[in-house]
């Protein structure tokens, strides 16, 4: 069951799901789990959060997106962007939030 990577609440059906796109630092990209959900440890939050790994040669992959954090609301997205921008040892760039 997919949960919001910020507040950890399960997504309700019928509500929009947002995705926070990120690009990993060179060499940190996850390549063995494409198309799957992995758990990424965030130093600043001291916890692991779910992240979708784009499938190889998917549209996201072609756009240079290495990971998508599922987000339940704009508010969670804003907090997540803040947290992710501190993860400079793994995350190189925090891109726009998209609707999944
Ligand atoms: Zn949330």
């Amino acid at each position: 069951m997919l949960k919001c990577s910020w507040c950890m609440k399960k997504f309700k059906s019928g509500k929009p799901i947002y995705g926070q796109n990120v690009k990993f630092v060179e060499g940190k990209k996850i390549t063995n789990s494409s198309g799957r959900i992995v758990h990424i440890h965030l130093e600043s939050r001291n916890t692991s959060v779910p992240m979708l790994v784009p499938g190889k040669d998917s549209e996201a992959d072609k756009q240079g997106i290495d990971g998508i954090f599922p987000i339940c609301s704009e508010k969670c997205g804003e907090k997540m962007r803040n947290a992710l921008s501190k993860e400079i040892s793994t995350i190189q760039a925090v891109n726009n939030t998209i609707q999944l």
Side-chain angles (χ1 to χ4, degrees), residues 4 6-7 72-73 76:
C4 174
W6 181 262
C7 68
C72 73
S73 65
C76 284

Side-chain angles (χ1 to χ4, degrees), residues 3-9 11 70-73 75-77:
K3 291 177 184 173
C4 174
S5 57
W6 181 262
C7 68
M8 294 294 176
K9 283 185 190 142
F11 290 103
I71 292 291
C72 73
S73 65
K75 214 169 139 188
C76 284

Side-chain angles (χ1 to χ4, degrees), residues 30-31 33-38 51-56 66-68:
I30 296 160
T31 51
S33 298
S34 63
R36 292 172 49 196
I37 299 168
V38 295
M51 187 192 82
L52 306 165
V53 182
K56 199 171 168 13
D66 296 338
I68 304 166

Side-chain angles (χ1 to χ4, degrees), residues 2-97:
L2 195 59
K3 291 177 184 173
C4 174
S5 57
W6 181 262
C7 68
M8 294 294 176
K9 283 185 190 142
K10 285 177 189 161
F11 290 103
K12 294 188 183 91
S13 59
K15 290 256 179 137
I17 299 174
Y18 300 95
Q20 179 57 57
N21 296 336
V22 298
K23 184 161 179 58
F24 277 72
V25 167
E26 197 74 48
K28 295 278 179 128
K29 183 178 172 176
I30 296 160
T31 51
N32 59 353
S33 298
S34 63
R36 292 172 49 196
I37 299 168
V38 295
H39 283 81
I40 297 285
H41 186 262
L42 298 183
E43 298 280 340
S44 63
R45 297 196 67 196
N46 197 27
T47 187
S48 292
V49 301
M51 187 192 82
L52 306 165
V53 182
K56 199 171 168 13
D57 298 323
S58 67
E59 211 43 54
D61 187 50
K62 283 177 197 159
Q63 287 173 32
I65 295 164
D66 296 338
I68 304 166
F69 289 91
I71 292 291
C72 73
S73 65
E74 303 271 8
K75 214 169 139 188
C76 284
E78 205 181 302
K79 289 175 181 166
M80 197 60 187
R81 274 197 298 281
N82 253 321
L84 292 172
S85 61
K86 291 175 192 151
E87 303 289 321
I88 50 169
S89 63
T90 41
I91 293 166
Q92 184 187 88
V94 182
N95 304 316
N96 293 340
T97 310

